[in-house]
Amino acid sequence: MNIYDKTHDLVGAIKESPEYSEFMVTKKVLDKDEQAKKMVKEFIAKQMELEYEMMGNKPEDKAKTEQIQKLYQLIAANSTASQFMHSYMKFQRMVADIYKILGDSVAEGMDFFDKK
C-alpha cells in the first residue's frame, strides 16, 4: 500500500462528492455575479479576521460582529450569494471532518506537545 496513492484516491473521492460538486456549480454561478462575489468575499474575509482575533484572545469587537451580521443579511437576501454560502459551508464542514479524522488517527505519540 502506497500512502500517496491512497491520498490521491481520497482526493478523487472528494472531487466526486456531492458537496464538492454542488460547491463548484454554485462557485461558477457566483463568478458570473460580481456584486454577489464581492459581498461573499468580504463576508468570508471579515469572518476569518474575527475568528483569528478570537483565537488570539482579543476581546470581541462588537462593531465587527455587527458588520458581519449585516453582511450576512445582505447575502441571505441575494439568492446567488446565499446558495454559494450554503454549499461552501457544507463543503467546508466535510473538509473539516476529514482533517479531524486524519488528526485523530495520527494523534497517538503527539502527546509530547501536551503541557504537563
Side-chain angles (χ1 to χ4, degrees):
M1 172 179 79
N2 182 324
I3 193 69
Y4 298 103
D5 291 339
K6 293 295 182 185
T7 304
H8 287 287
D9 290 345
L10 174 60
V11 169
I14 290 169
K15 288 186 175 184
E16 291 174 4
S17 72
E19 293 86 352
Y20 181 81
S21 297
E22 182 183 338
F23 172 67
M24 293 309 293
V25 167
T26 59
K27 183 186 177 304
K28 285 179 185 173
V29 173
L30 182 73
D31 284 342
K32 295 176 185 173
D33 184 337
E34 284 301 318
Q35 181 184 1
K37 186 176 179 179
K38 181 180 176 189
M39 203 179 343
V40 166
K41 286 175 80 171
E42 183 178 358
F43 174 78
I44 292 172
K46 292 206 179 290
Q47 190 176 41
M48 287 174 58
E49 182 181 328
L50 186 63
E51 287 175 12
Y52 289 140
E53 287 176 3
M54 290 171 64
M55 286 190 300
N57 293 323
K58 286 189 176 179
E60 181 184 354
D61 184 336
K62 297 220 185 274
K64 280 186 185 177
T65 301
E66 287 177 18
Q67 188 178 24
I68 290 170
Q69 288 172 344
K70 287 177 184 175
L71 281 169
Y72 184 77
Q73 289 171 351
L74 291 173
I75 286 171
N78 181 303
S79 64
T80 300
S82 179
Q83 288 173 0
F84 173 81
M85 286 303 299
H86 180 73
S87 66
Y88 170 79
M89 290 179 353
K90 280 175 43 179
F91 179 66
Q92 289 297 336
R93 189 175 322 118
M94 181 187 73
V95 171
D97 290 346
I98 291 168
Y99 282 142
K100 180 171 179 0
I101 292 166
L102 288 171
D104 290 350
S105 69
V106 297
E108 186 178 348
M110 295 295 177
D111 58 349
F112 65 90
F113 289 117
D114 290 346
K115 294 178 183 178
K116 291 185 179 181

